[in-house]
Amino acid sequence: MPVNLLGRRLPPPLTALDPSQLSGLLQLCAIDPVAGVSLAHQVLRWPAWARGDVVADDRWRPAAGAWATGSLMPFGLAPRPALGHPGAGDYVARALAEHTYKRLTSHGSVAGPAQDVEAVWEHLAAAGMHSREERWEQPLLVVPQSDGGTLAGAALSRRPGLAWAAAGVHLATPEEEALVLPASVDMFTGELGYDPTTSGSSYARHVNWLVASGRSYVLLDDGAGGPSAPGAAASGGVAVAFKVDVGSLWQRPGGSVAQLTGVWTRPDLRGRGIGTVALAAAVDAVRRDHVGADGYVSLYVNSFNAAGLGLYRSLGFSRVGTYATVLL
């Protein structure tokens, strides 16, 4: 155990939490719930975990915490003066890197608010951890809260001929999962550069969970960018035109937060406005189904994704922070 200059033992820099000890960690995430939703969602989603999967620098009043398994989600390491948060210091960041080093796996990641990722990645890299790609500029965006109207209505004022797309966005059903999985794989492969189904069935199980838990929204078309005919799904005469998932969800007093992931428009339909209208309708649906009119709907996007940034800007998303992802 480390000692200070007086030779006294310092307290352990990290404490392993169990699911009954989340109040302090959630209070920490609540200093910036839009940025903290990924960690809050992850620890609330799982009813149990192995010792060391969730760690913090203090059990009850942590300044920093993390989900640390095959991937790492840190939060709170860096100071946030505007929020009155002092950060946890380099001592804790180093300890988290040491704790996590052997837990991180190939095709894992270090992801979260950019300042926290930077604080821990410095030590992981110094210890010899190699990255496949580092994405340090991922704007964190949030859509304006509802003013009584709908986002789809505003989008349709510019694209009135796409009313069918707004009306067709719906929660994916178990019967549609066979259509959703290939679309999800195409999205993932384009985003991260490899097919997630080549390394086992975990990705298919994740898509199944999203569908089963009411987190996956889709738009089906006739395969050519037009509305699908009634009953066409049963005969196989439809395709997924658009999809988006609620990747993280934190239903909390003071403002629930949903973070969208997996935004995808079929390649042959891009540039036709279908994705814009469908995403607007999906945001309206997420408000209806998950966060309410006063909740927050957010997402983050790579800075090099000019088309995505343009789409989100057209719907009124505004930047509230920066995420970073280090791909391993």
Side-chain angles (χ1 to χ4, degrees), residues 129-204:
M129 181 73 67
H130 295 287
S131 63
R132 182 164 55 88
E133 185 180 349
E134 299 178 16
R135 301 177 178 180
W136 290 106
E137 185 73 16
Q138 296 178 306
L140 177 63
L141 310 176
V142 66
V143 72
Q145 292 176 295
S146 175
D147 59 1
T150 66
L151 207 61
L156 285 174
S157 69
R158 301 187 296 272
R159 299 274 190 170
L162 293 176
W164 68 271
V169 171
H170 63 279
L171 282 169
T173 67
E175 294 75 23
E176 293 167 344
E177 189 175 326
L179 296 171
V180 175
L181 180 58
S184 298
V185 169
D186 187 75
M187 176 281 304
F188 188 103
T189 303
E191 174 70 14
L192 297 180
Y194 69 95
D195 182 340
T197 63
T198 59
S199 57
S201 60
S202 61
Y203 187 74

Side-chain angles (χ1 to χ4, degrees), residues 57-75:
D57 66 328
D58 182 275
R59 181 173 286 119
W60 307 117
R61 295 175 64 90
W67 173 267
T69 55
S71 292
L72 174 63
M73 295 181 181
F75 186 84

